[in-house]
Structures are given as C-alpha cells and as structure tokens.
Amino acid sequence: AQKITQTQPGMFVQEKEAVTLDCTYDTSDPSYGLFWYKQPSSGEMIFLIYQGSYDQQNATEGRYSLNFQKARKSANLVISASQLGDSAMYFCAMREGAGANSKLTFGKGITLSVRP
Amino acid sequence: DADVTQTPRNRITKTGKRIMLECSQTKGHDRMYWYRQDPGLGLRLIYYSFDVKDINKGEISDGYSVSRQAQAKFSLSLESAIPNQTALYFCATSLGTDNSPLHFGNGTRLTVT
C-alpha cells in the first residue's frame, strides 16, 4: 500500500478563492509527522507547513492551514485567498519512525493552477 | 547565497560514465539526504546520512553511492550511469529532530544519453 496518496490529478481555483488539496496516509506508527511542500515551475522545493500526530490543533501558517483528521488518516492542505503565485505542484510527505529509523516519504504531488 | 548548494545545476552524460553530484550546506544541519524526482513519481529517497560516520540506504539506492566528506558536504555518485537515471536530483538537509522540515537545494537536472 502507498504510504502517501495524492489522487487529485490537477486542481484549478479562481484567484482569491480557497482551495483544498487532499492527502491521505497509511501508517501503524503512533508517532509521525506530516509535511507539505510547494514546487513552483522554477523547480525548488519550499516547505509550507507541518503537523505532528500528537498535535491537538490543526497547524496554520499564514494562508496555509492543515485539515488534520487523524481517524481518517487525512492531512489536507487548505490555501485561503489563492494568488497567482500559488500555481505550483504540491507534495504531501510523512515522517515515520524516530532517530536513525526516521524516514520521510513523499506523495506523487498535485498540480494547482490559479486562474486570474 | 543558497543555504544548500548543489553542483552542477545541469549535466548531460553518456551511458557508462561515472558522475558525481555535489552538495554543500551552510545551515549547520547534521542530517543530509539525496532524493530523485521523476514525473508522476514524486520524490524518492536514495541515501541519507545523520552524521559524518552514518550512511543509510533509501528506497532506491541501487546504482548509486554516497560520501559524507564533512558535516557540510554530501556527494552522490553514479558509478556507471544508465539512461533510467535521468532525473532531477535534490539534496536536502534537516536538523536532528524528527519534526524538522527538509531544506532543499535547487536541484541537479541529470540527463544520461
């Protein structure tokens, strides 16, 4: 089974509207972390937001928030007030294990296009 | 200046050639990683190192080797390049805590003909 699943092939959103990018994960580890990264067309990978499995509240970073539903094993990224510069590929990633056994696994990514 | 620097940015090489991709960082992080990105496959971990004396295989280490020359330097070698190693390669670093995000270099685009 895939550790991280991002099934939306491509998303479109109107500028200034909110958009949700889906991510589901699979782990039996009680302690894990979830990350979202943005990759614009220029290619660099930019860290956006982090959610720990024991965090009581959903993470927020500016216009980014993470809708963490632990029982459903989902960690959807919500981008509010979309901007043209948000057009990019977005990757969800999960860290399992601890210390030397810690590994980060990435999903296949979702392409977001923001329309003016 | 970038905190995580990869050289070269682009490289075209021929099948069978040995090639080295270099990564250096000024972030002072202990953990360093090499990933490759292929269209539709996301990022896959090749090797990682949690300190100078620690080297670990990732999920796709076959055909690759690494060297951690110093805390700040982590190089990836392809001993005999093959066309299916054509990809975008990323070096990344992180702090020594499990909730620390990865900080990526700008990538090396490698083409093996």
Short mmCIF file of all heavy atoms in Angstrom, two decimals, chain A residues 1-2 5 11 16 18 22 26 29 31 35-36 46 48 65 82-83 86 89 96-97 103 106 108 111 116:
data_model
loop_
_atom_site.label_atom_id
_atom_site.label_comp_id
_atom_site.label_asym_id
_atom_site.label_seq_id
_atom_site.Cartn_x
_atom_site.Cartn_y
_atom_site.Cartn_z
N ALA A 1 0.84 -1.19 0.00
CA ALA A 1 0.00 0.00 0.00
C ALA A 1 0.88 1.25 0.00
O ALA A 1 1.96 1.25 0.61
CB ALA A 1 -0.91 -0.01 1.22
N GLN A 2 0.41 2.27 -0.69
CA GLN A 2 1.16 3.51 -0.70
C GLN A 2 1.11 4.16 0.66
O GLN A 2 0.08 4.17 1.32
CB GLN A 2 0.56 4.46 -1.74
CG GLN A 2 0.81 4.04 -3.17
CD GLN A 2 0.35 5.09 -4.14
OE1 GLN A 2 0.39 6.28 -3.84
NE2 GLN A 2 -0.10 4.67 -5.31
N THR A 5 -0.94 9.12 -0.33
CA THR A 5 -1.76 9.12 -1.53
C THR A 5 -2.27 10.51 -1.82
O THR A 5 -2.91 11.15 -0.97
CB THR A 5 -2.95 8.16 -1.37
OG1 THR A 5 -2.45 6.84 -1.10
CG2 THR A 5 -3.78 8.12 -2.64
N MET A 11 -5.64 20.48 -10.08
CA MET A 11 -6.68 21.31 -9.48
C MET A 11 -6.63 22.71 -10.08
O MET A 11 -5.56 23.23 -10.40
CB MET A 11 -6.45 21.41 -7.97
CG MET A 11 -6.66 20.10 -7.23
SD MET A 11 -8.39 19.66 -7.14
CE MET A 11 -8.97 20.88 -5.96
N LYS A 16 -8.21 34.39 -5.45
CA LYS A 16 -8.86 34.90 -4.24
C LYS A 16 -9.79 33.89 -3.59
O LYS A 16 -10.29 34.17 -2.49
CB LYS A 16 -9.62 36.21 -4.50
CG LYS A 16 -8.72 37.34 -5.01
CD LYS A 16 -9.50 38.62 -5.22
CE LYS A 16 -8.58 39.69 -5.82
NZ LYS A 16 -9.32 40.95 -6.11
N ALA A 18 -10.58 29.96 -1.95
CA ALA A 18 -9.87 28.94 -1.19
C ALA A 18 -9.86 27.62 -1.95
O ALA A 18 -10.75 27.35 -2.76
CB ALA A 18 -10.51 28.75 0.19
N ASP A 22 -5.90 17.38 -1.31
CA ASP A 22 -6.10 16.20 -0.48
C ASP A 22 -4.81 15.39 -0.30
O ASP A 22 -3.98 15.28 -1.20
CB ASP A 22 -7.15 15.29 -1.11
CG ASP A 22 -8.53 15.94 -1.15
OD1 ASP A 22 -8.75 16.92 -0.41
OD2 ASP A 22 -9.38 15.46 -1.92
N ASP A 26 -0.88 6.32 5.27
CA ASP A 26 -1.04 4.99 5.85
C ASP A 26 0.17 4.71 6.74
O ASP A 26 1.30 4.67 6.25
CB ASP A 26 -1.15 3.94 4.75
CG ASP A 26 -1.35 2.53 5.29
OD1 ASP A 26 -1.92 2.40 6.39
OD2 ASP A 26 -0.93 1.57 4.62
N ASP A 29 2.50 3.50 12.83
CA ASP A 29 3.34 4.15 13.83
C ASP A 29 2.50 5.18 14.57
O ASP A 29 1.87 6.02 13.93
CB ASP A 29 4.52 4.83 13.14
CG ASP A 29 5.63 5.22 14.09
OD1 ASP A 29 5.33 5.49 15.27
OD2 ASP A 29 6.78 5.28 13.64
N SER A 31 3.52 7.63 16.33
CA SER A 31 4.18 8.94 16.26
C SER A 31 4.68 9.18 14.85
O SER A 31 5.53 8.43 14.35
CB SER A 31 5.35 8.97 17.25
OG SER A 31 6.03 10.20 17.16
N PHE A 35 4.05 16.74 6.40
CA PHE A 35 4.62 17.96 5.85
C PHE A 35 3.98 18.24 4.49
O PHE A 35 3.63 17.31 3.76
CB PHE A 35 6.14 17.81 5.61
CG PHE A 35 6.95 17.49 6.83
CD1 PHE A 35 7.01 16.20 7.34
CD2 PHE A 35 7.67 18.48 7.46
CE1 PHE A 35 7.78 15.90 8.45
CE2 PHE A 35 8.45 18.20 8.57
CZ PHE A 35 8.51 16.90 9.07
N TRP A 36 3.90 19.49 4.16
CA TRP A 36 3.52 19.90 2.81
C TRP A 36 4.62 20.78 2.23
O TRP A 36 5.16 21.66 2.93
CB TRP A 36 2.20 20.68 2.80
CG TRP A 36 0.99 19.82 2.79
CD1 TRP A 36 0.29 19.35 3.86
CD2 TRP A 36 0.31 19.32 1.63
NE1 TRP A 36 -0.78 18.60 3.44
CE2 TRP A 36 -0.80 18.57 2.07
CE3 TRP A 36 0.51 19.44 0.24
CZ2 TRP A 36 -1.69 17.94 1.20
CZ3 TRP A 36 -0.36 18.83 -0.61
CH2 TRP A 36 -1.45 18.09 -0.14
N ILE A 46 9.81 24.07 -1.52
CA ILE A 46 9.61 25.04 -0.46
C ILE A 46 8.73 24.41 0.62
O ILE A 46 7.61 23.98 0.35
CB ILE A 46 8.93 26.31 -1.00
CG1 ILE A 46 9.77 26.90 -2.14
CG2 ILE A 46 8.71 27.33 0.11
CD1 ILE A 46 9.05 27.95 -2.95
N LEU A 48 6.10 24.28 3.50
CA LEU A 48 4.95 25.12 3.80
C LEU A 48 4.46 24.97 5.24
O LEU A 48 4.25 25.97 5.94
CB LEU A 48 3.79 24.77 2.86
CG LEU A 48 4.00 25.02 1.38
CD1 LEU A 48 2.76 24.57 0.60
CD2 LEU A 48 4.30 26.48 1.11
N SER A 65 -3.31 26.24 5.91
CA SER A 65 -3.73 25.50 7.09
C SER A 65 -3.84 24.04 6.73
O SER A 65 -3.98 23.68 5.56
CB SER A 65 -5.06 26.04 7.64
OG SER A 65 -6.08 25.90 6.67
N SER A 82 -6.46 32.39 -2.69
CA SER A 82 -5.43 31.97 -3.65
C SER A 82 -4.86 33.15 -4.43
O SER A 82 -5.59 34.08 -4.80
CB SER A 82 -6.02 30.95 -4.62
OG SER A 82 -6.42 29.79 -3.96
N GLN A 83 -3.58 33.04 -4.71
CA GLN A 83 -2.88 34.04 -5.51
C GLN A 83 -2.27 33.37 -6.73
O GLN A 83 -2.05 32.16 -6.73
CB GLN A 83 -1.77 34.68 -4.67
CG GLN A 83 -2.25 35.33 -3.40
CD GLN A 83 -1.12 35.80 -2.51
OE1 GLN A 83 0.06 35.57 -2.79
NE2 GLN A 83 -1.47 36.48 -1.42
N ASP A 86 0.52 31.02 -6.33
CA ASP A 86 0.30 29.71 -5.72
C ASP A 86 0.28 28.60 -6.76
O ASP A 86 0.27 27.41 -6.40
CB ASP A 86 -1.04 29.70 -4.95
CG ASP A 86 -1.02 30.62 -3.74
OD1 ASP A 86 0.07 30.89 -3.19
OD2 ASP A 86 -2.11 31.09 -3.35
N MET A 89 3.26 22.75 -8.08
CA MET A 89 2.96 21.39 -7.66
C MET A 89 3.13 21.34 -6.14
O MET A 89 4.05 21.94 -5.59
CB MET A 89 3.90 20.39 -8.34
CG MET A 89 3.64 18.95 -7.96
SD MET A 89 4.33 17.75 -9.11
CE MET A 89 3.11 17.78 -10.39
N GLU A 96 7.85 8.82 9.45
CA GLU A 96 7.58 7.74 10.40
C GLU A 96 8.85 7.39 11.13
O GLU A 96 9.94 7.67 10.65
CB GLU A 96 7.09 6.48 9.67
CG GLU A 96 5.84 6.61 8.87
CD GLU A 96 5.59 5.34 8.08
OE1 GLU A 96 6.18 5.20 6.99
OE2 GLU A 96 4.81 4.49 8.55
N GLY A 97 8.71 6.73 12.25
CA GLY A 97 9.87 6.27 12.98
C GLY A 97 10.53 7.42 13.71
O GLY A 97 10.09 8.57 13.65
N LYS A 103 12.15 8.08 8.60
CA LYS A 103 12.15 8.19 7.14
C LYS A 103 11.02 9.09 6.69
O LYS A 103 9.93 9.07 7.25
CB LYS A 103 11.99 6.82 6.50
CG LYS A 103 13.18 5.91 6.71
CD LYS A 103 12.96 4.58 6.00
CE LYS A 103 14.15 3.66 6.25
NZ LYS A 103 13.96 2.34 5.60
N PHE A 106 7.37 10.80 0.35
CA PHE A 106 6.60 11.80 -0.37
C PHE A 106 5.48 11.16 -1.19
O PHE A 106 5.62 10.05 -1.70
CB PHE A 106 7.50 12.59 -1.32
CG PHE A 106 8.36 13.61 -0.64
CD1 PHE A 106 9.53 13.23 -0.01
CD2 PHE A 106 8.00 14.94 -0.62
CE1 PHE A 106 10.34 14.16 0.63
CE2 PHE A 106 8.80 15.89 0.01
CZ PHE A 106 9.97 15.48 0.64
N LYS A 108 2.95 11.67 -4.69
CA LYS A 108 3.30 11.94 -6.08
C LYS A 108 3.01 13.37 -6.50
O LYS A 108 3.41 13.79 -7.59
CB LYS A 108 2.59 10.95 -7.00
CG LYS A 108 3.03 9.52 -6.76
CD LYS A 108 2.32 8.54 -7.69
CE LYS A 108 2.83 7.12 -7.41
NZ LYS A 108 2.19 6.12 -8.30
N THR A 111 -0.92 19.11 -8.96
CA THR A 111 -0.67 20.38 -9.64
C THR A 111 -1.85 21.32 -9.39
O THR A 111 -3.00 20.95 -9.58
CB THR A 111 -0.51 20.14 -11.16
OG1 THR A 111 0.61 19.27 -11.37
CG2 THR A 111 -0.25 21.46 -11.87
N PRO A 116 -6.74 33.74 -13.14
CA PRO A 116 -6.99 35.17 -12.80
C PRO A 116 -8.46 35.52 -12.97
O PRO A 116 -9.22 34.83 -13.63
CB PRO A 116 -6.12 35.92 -13.80
CG PRO A 116 -5.93 34.99 -14.93
CD PRO A 116 -5.98 33.59 -14.38
#
